[in-house]
């Protein structure tokens, strides 16, 4: 539903830019975890102590690796603008800010599944999607639906999902 709303309201250029903004953190959250999500999935269920260690490790790793990947992408984009995929420096920075959050959400989700708490995983992910959709609907209703607004809503939904997993 959020995709339909944004596609209709943002137009071809706007929805293309939004897709790029969302794709960068998504790709980094898949590639940037370098198998740690699978390790979390495998080892989180061994004990509560192992789970807590994985959570602390996930937070530190997402801050370090997520920030480093995003920084390297921005640095490369400043030298070779084509690396930014057509995003302006300001929009690329906005997308890069969400990268550590997306990495954290991936790692924490893997840990929850590894604990056998599929229900918690599903609720948190569905809640994140619901927050994004609600924000899009509010932006639409208020006449403030913009590419940046939609992406901030996406980033907030990723952040709230990460916080929910941490809680």
């Amino acid at each position: 539903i959020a995709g339909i709303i944004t596609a209709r309201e943002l137009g071809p250029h706007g929805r293309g830019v939004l897709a790029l903004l969302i794709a960068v953190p998504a790709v980094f959250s898949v590639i940037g975890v370098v198998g740690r999500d699978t390790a979390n999935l495998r080892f989180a269920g061994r004990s509560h102590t192992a789970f807590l260690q994985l959570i602390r490790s996930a937070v530190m790793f997402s801050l370090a690796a997520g920030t480093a990947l995003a920084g390297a992408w921005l640095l490369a984009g400043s030298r070779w603008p084509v690396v930014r995929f057509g995003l302006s420096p300001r929009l690329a920075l906005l997308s890069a800010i969400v990268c550590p959050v997306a990495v954290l959400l991936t790692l924490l989700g893997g840990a929850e599944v590894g604990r056998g708490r599929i229900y918690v995983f599903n609720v948190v992910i569905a809640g994140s999607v619901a927050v994004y959709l609600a924000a899009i609907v509010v932006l639409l209703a208020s006449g403030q639906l913009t590419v940046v607004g939609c992406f901030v809503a996406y980033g907030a939904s990723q952040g709230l999902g990460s916080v929910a997993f941490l809680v």
Side-chain angles (χ1 to χ4, degrees):
I1 294 171
I4 292 169
I5 292 170
T6 57
R8 288 184 176 207
E9 296 297 319
L10 295 177
H13 178 72
R15 68 178 171 243
V17 171
L18 180 60
L20 286 169
L21 287 169
I22 291 173
V24 170
V27 167
F28 284 162
S29 72
V30 172
I31 295 170
V33 295
V34 293
R36 290 179 67 99
D37 56 334
T38 305
N40 282 3
L41 183 66
R42 184 171 180 193
F43 296 115
R46 291 197 174 194
S47 70
H48 186 67
T49 302
F51 175 71
L52 292 177
Q53 288 173 341
L54 287 172
I55 297 305
R56 282 190 292 274
S57 173
V59 170
M60 298 308 292
F61 181 83
S62 64
L63 286 173
T67 303
L69 282 170
W73 177 65
L74 288 173
L75 184 62
S78 69
R79 177 96 167 114
W80 304 287
V82 70
V83 173
R84 287 194 318 257
F85 310 116
L87 294 174
S88 69
R90 183 179 75 92
L91 290 177
L93 177 62
L94 188 61
S95 187
I97 290 169
V98 177
C99 289
V101 177
V103 169
L104 181 61
L105 187 65
T106 299
L107 292 174
L108 296 177
E112 283 298 327
V113 171
R115 288 181 76 190
R117 294 173 40 149
I118 307 301
Y119 177 77
V120 171
F121 174 83
N122 289 336
V123 167
V124 169
I125 297 303
S128 295
V129 171
V131 165
Y132 179 62
L133 174 59
I136 295 298
V137 169
V138 167
L139 289 169
L140 177 66
S142 66
Q144 302 296 319
L145 191 74
T146 64
V147 171
V148 171
C150 291
F151 185 72
V152 168
Y154 169 77
S157 71
Q158 296 284 290
L160 288 172
S162 294
V163 169
F165 275 137
L166 289 171
V167 170

